[in-house]
Amino acid sequence: DTQSKNYWASASPFSITSYRAGGTALDLVMKNNDVDQLTLTQVSGSGITTVATGTVFANGQERTTALVLTATCGTTGTRYQYANVTFVYTKSTASGSTQTGLTQVGQLPLTGACA
């Protein structure tokens, strides 16, 4: 779990500063580590229902993103692993340019124990 948490805490442009899975919910506290504004447009991964969103993150801003799991996490303490976590986003620069359809794919799964 420590390796996964350390990886996600330092990921870029989006990091996950904390996460919690319980029931059919996976809550991610995400942070924009980019110098520009990012708009999260989609989140997907194994065991995660693909979700479309339009959540705007200013530079350095943290927000909680609630996701739905494809199956119940399990009883408290049951181990979980969600791999191929993918963020699709749009980048808006201060100069007014916009890049759409950018992708960040996690190199390590989110792992932990069900709450």
Side-chain angles (χ1 to χ4, degrees), residues 8 11-14 16 29 39 44-45 65 78 94-96 99 103-104 106 113:
W8 282 106
S12 188
F14 285 108
I16 300 174
V29 179
T39 303
S44 62
T65 303
T78 303
S95 64
Q99 295 172 290
T103 304
Q104 175 185 349

Side-chain angles (χ1 to χ4, degrees), residues 2 5 9 14 18-19 21-23 29 32 34-35 44-45 50 60 65 67 75 92 94 96 104:
T2 301
K5 287 179 181 174
F14 285 108
S18 68
Y19 54 92
V29 179
N32 172 8
D34 199 272
V35 297
S44 62
T50 300
T65 303
L67 304 176
T75 58
S92 302
Q104 175 185 349

Side-chain angles (χ1 to χ4, degrees), residues 24-26 47-51 66-71:
T24 57
L26 175 61
I48 300 169
T49 300
T50 300
V51 105
L67 304 176
V68 177
L69 300 172
T70 57

